[in-house]
Each structure stands twice: as C-alpha cells, then as structure tokens.
Amino acid sequence: MGIRLGCIADDFTGATDLANNLVRAGMRVVQLIDVPDGGDERAVRQAADADAVVIALKSRTVPAAHAVDASLRALAWLREQGAEQIYFKYCSTFDSTPAGNIGPVTEALMDALGTDFTVATPAFPDNGRTVFKGHLFVGDVLLGESGMRHHPLTPMTDSNLVAVLGAQTVRTVGLIDHRAVADGPAAILARAGELRTDGVGIAVVDGVSNDDLVRLGAAVAGLPLVTAGSGLAIGLPANWGISPTPAAAELPPPAGRRAILSGSVSTTTNGQVQAFLRTGRPAYHVDPLRVVAGDDVAGEAVAFTARQPADEPVLVYSTAPADTVRAVQGRLGAAEAGELVERTLARVARGLVEHGVRQLVVAGGETSGAVVQALGITGLRIGPQIDPGVPWCAAVLPGGEPLHIALKSGNFGGPDFFTDSFALLGLLDGADR
C-alpha cells in the first residue's frame, strides 16, 4: 500500500506541529527534512512503513517562485510513494505577504493535481487560532491586532483571510462560514458546490472548535488537495478508519545534556525566555552586532554551555523585544539580521552536540530549519506532545547517535514551555527533572 496522506509543510516547526496532530489521531508518521534525493532508498523504506509522510521545507519566506519549485518537487516525490491525498500546511497565523507564499503554492499544487477546488483554514482552536466569518483570531484578538502585526518578515495587518488570500491568487477566493460548518459534512459539501458553480477555486473555511475541524475533515475526504494549518489534521485520519493509539507516540529513552536554542522574535517566545531567565538557570545571549563585529559569539556560547553543570538545561538565545529587533534590523537589514542569527545558532547547535547535548529544544521556524540542516538530520520520529502543536521527536545524527529534539514555532507553547519540555522528556526514562 502507498501512504494515505502526503504532507508538504512550509517550515520545520510547522511540519512537526502537523505530524504531532496526525500521531495524536493515530497515524504512523515519518517526517522528512526536505525532499529526498531520487536515490534515497532509506526515505522510501520509511515512507512505506507510514500512514502519513510530512516533508518539511524551508519555504515560508523565500521568493515565491522558489517556494513553488520546492513544493512541486515534494509533491512529485509524495505521489511516487502513492499518496492518496495531499496536505499543504502553513502557519496558523497565515504568515505571508501580498506576493505569497500561501497563494502561489496552493495554485501550483492545484494545477499539478488537476483540481479546480480546495479549502484553506489555519484554524487550530487548541492553540487559540480560530476563524469566524473569514477572519482569523489569535486568542481573543484579531490577527491584525496581535503581535503578528510586528513580524519582521511577514507582518500580518489584515485579519480577513478571504482578502489576504485573494491578493495572492489568480483564482477567486470564497468562504464556507460557520453556519455551514456547524451543520455538518453534507452542508459543507453543499456550500462548496455552490461556490464551485460560482467560479470559486479556493474556499476559506470557518473553524471555532475541534468539532468544526472534524466535520470539515469528513467533508474533504474526496479532495485531492487540502490546505490548512495543523488543526485540520485531527479530522483526516478517520477517513481511512484510523483511530488514536498511544503506541503512535512512543520514543526511546532520552540521555545526555540538555539545551535550548531560541531565535524566534515572537511575543510568545520572548515571554518564555523571560520565564526561563527568572528561574536563575544558565543562559547566554547572542548579540548579532557582536557577531558582525567579528567576535566568536558561537564559540563563546558553546564554551559557556560546556562549563555549566551537566544536569542543568542551558538557554542560548537571540530572542529580544520588538524594539531591539527593529534597531538591529535598521543597522543590518531585516534579511541579513535574520540570516546572521540563523547561521550563528546553527554553529552553536553543532558545537553543543559535539559537547554531549542530546536533548535539544529549538524555538523559531527559521531557526529550527537552520539547526536541523546544520546537524545533518534527515528524518524524525514523532513522539509525545509537550504543548499543542509541539511534540518531542527522535532523530539519528549522521554518526548514528540518537538525539531528542523539539522544534517549536515561535507563537506556540505556554509561559514555562522550556522547563516543561524537559520535565516531560524526563518521564520517559523515569528521571526526576
């Protein structure tokens, strides 16, 4: 049998977020880092033993043409493995600009699959993301009034998803609102039929509860392509008769030193960094301006970590308040500042692993992508959930050693996420953390 669900995620944390929800719903999931090479037999064998495969790209903020190319390559590989349905996953805050990349990638996948209709919903109520009358809420505030309005690469100032997506697409965008969703799969299909008759190619779908996503999941069983945040994943496995099982989240026992790398500039991650600092545990701040000046900041961070007690988690962070980030971007440029931090934290990650870190939390989508690539990780086994959208994963380093790693989207997790992460992982080996 081929895989049931083939997933294309536009960043690394989003990929684990999606895989986490699929595992919780009972699917056996393999997450691959980027599109496998044509001769990668290991990836083919992994896919053959999975219900779903998630390919993690680093395409959220690259030029739209590059994002489209990477997504089409992922689609081709997934179809070669027999994927019955394709899932394009983007962020639950719909991170994009008027140029893309959500709209262009969606349309390219539709064209490749020969379909004239699909759905779009970033709703993930478990993580405070809801869609009502086409407007996206982050917690109790509209997207355009949330901290996302200050995002350095994809500032989100419009909460109307029909308008946001319509600005990125050639196809007409419509809405399946909460009334149709509440009435169940038949009503959703009826509304979709009306929209298709009117020439709508992509329908934004309301979602204010998990029940809404379950109903939507049943309704889209026949679509070649669905696009969503990770929330819709809870409603799809049942279409193949799959139900939740604890065995899907089992990981081997953890070992080794513990560390956190934080490159996200989100309001949520800033709060998590401050909460960790208040515990008095060791932390090292990465200053981009010192890196530009030629200081070996990465080397200092690794040396600092190596000096700490082996049983203490250590935080290495570039995360800073919005005004500080803007000041650095003003001197270096937004793109250069972001790439500089990614390269530095990737170097730190390599150094930490060389010094025995085998339990690693990474905060920030772009940072996670850089770290995973720097460590040579090609696949992940998805384990237990830490907070909604963020699981622990197990990877094998190029030298054959195991690594437990959590890749956290900047906007996800509770205030004490960093310490809670290791407390949960400690339960796997009976350790008192």
Side-chain angles (χ1 to χ4, degrees):
M1 291 181 64
I3 58 176
R4 274 83 164 181
L5 190 63
C7 308
I8 303 166
D10 68 358
D11 83 339
F12 289 74
T13 57
T16 54
D17 172 12
L18 172 59
N20 173 60
N21 277 349
L22 293 173
V23 167
R24 290 172 64 214
M27 277 187 153
R28 299 168 301 153
V29 182
V30 170
Q31 180 176 327
L32 301 176
I33 309 304
D34 213 340
V35 184
D37 294 332
D40 190 341
E41 291 300 321
R42 180 182 178 187
V44 172
R45 289 194 300 271
Q46 289 176 311
D49 193 39
D51 299 309
V53 173
V54 181
I55 295 181
L57 303 178
K58 196 168 182 287
S59 58
R60 180 170 298 169
T61 57
V62 302
H66 296 174
V68 166
D69 177 69
S71 301
L72 290 176
R73 286 190 291 108
L75 172 65
W77 192 89
L78 291 167
R79 294 179 80 182
E80 287 174 2
Q81 313 315 312
E84 299 173 19
Q85 186 177 50
I86 300 298
Y87 190 134
F88 169 41
K89 193 275 176 193
Y90 36 75
C91 187
S92 65
T93 47
F94 218 67
D95 295 26
S96 54
T97 70
N101 291 340
I102 295 174
V105 170
T106 296
E107 293 198 297
L109 295 174
M110 291 177 72
D111 291 341
L113 289 166
T115 184
D116 67 347
F117 185 81
T118 191
V119 296
T121 182
F124 188 5
D126 281 354
N127 230 359
R129 311 296 189 264
T130 54
V131 181
F132 182 71
K133 295 189 176 181
H135 288 70
L136 177 57
F137 287 79
V138 177
D140 294 327
V141 302
L142 286 163
L143 173 67
E145 299 171 7
S146 73
M148 283 301 298
R149 68 187 185 277
H150 298 307
H151 194 285
L153 299 178
T154 53
M156 301 303 295
T157 58
D158 190 347
S159 309
N160 184 339
L161 299 187
V162 175
V164 171
L165 191 53
Q168 303 176 29
T169 58
V170 174
R171 288 171 172 82
T172 301
V173 179
L175 174 66
I176 299 176
D177 74 9
H178 61 100
R179 293 166 295 188
V181 176
D183 284 343
I188 295 171
L189 287 170
R191 178 57 180 153
E194 294 171 356
L195 293 174
R196 294 173 89 161
T197 299
D198 291 340
V200 170
I202 306 171
V204 171
V205 185
D206 281 354
V208 298
S209 68
N210 283 355
D211 288 343
D212 286 344
L213 296 177
V214 171
R215 287 187 282 264
L216 176 60
V220 301
L223 290 183
L225 171 72
V226 296
T227 85
S230 66
L232 183 56
I234 68 173
L236 297 182
N239 293 339
W240 288 279
I242 295 172
S243 57
T245 170
E250 290 180 353
L251 290 183
R257 298 182 68 122
R258 296 171 289 163
I260 304 145
L261 291 175
S262 180
S264 170
V265 298
S266 75
T267 301
T268 298
T269 302
N270 267 282
Q272 291 161 347
V273 166
Q274 293 305 312
F276 185 91
L277 295 177
R278 286 194 294 271
T279 69
R281 292 185 170 92
Y284 181 92
H285 180 240
V286 171
D287 183 348
L289 298 181
R290 286 192 59 215
V291 178
V292 171
D295 294 343
D296 184 14
V297 174
E300 291 178 13
V302 172
F304 172 85
T305 302
R307 292 194 301 269
Q308 307 309 314
D311 60 349
E312 281 282 11
V314 180
L315 169 65
V316 178
Y317 67 105
S318 62
T319 300
D323 55 350
T324 302
V325 173
R326 284 194 293 270
V328 172
Q329 291 175 340
R331 295 185 60 177
L332 303 181
E336 177 57 29
E339 291 171 4
L340 182 72
V341 167
E342 289 173 31
R343 291 195 300 268
T344 302
L345 292 181
R347 284 186 57 207
V348 173
R350 287 194 297 267
L352 294 180
V353 167
E354 289 171 2
H355 282 77
V357 168
R358 293 295 181 270
Q359 302 173 49
L360 183 64
V361 173
V362 188
E366 299 301 313
T367 303
S368 293
V371 166
V372 164
Q373 291 176 332
L375 295 179
I377 295 171
T378 60
L380 297 169
R381 179 179 170 185
I382 310 302
Q385 176 176 277
I386 304 165
D387 271 341
V390 195
W392 272 109
C393 306
V396 177
L397 296 167
E401 294 184 84
L403 173 73
H404 285 73
I405 187 168
L407 306 174
K408 185 192 85 71
S409 170
N411 296 304
F412 283 8
D416 297 317
F417 178 86
F418 294 146
T419 51
D420 289 348
S421 300
F422 295 115
L424 172 64
L425 194 57
L427 296 176
L428 297 181
D429 65 356
D432 180 9
R433 302 296 188 189

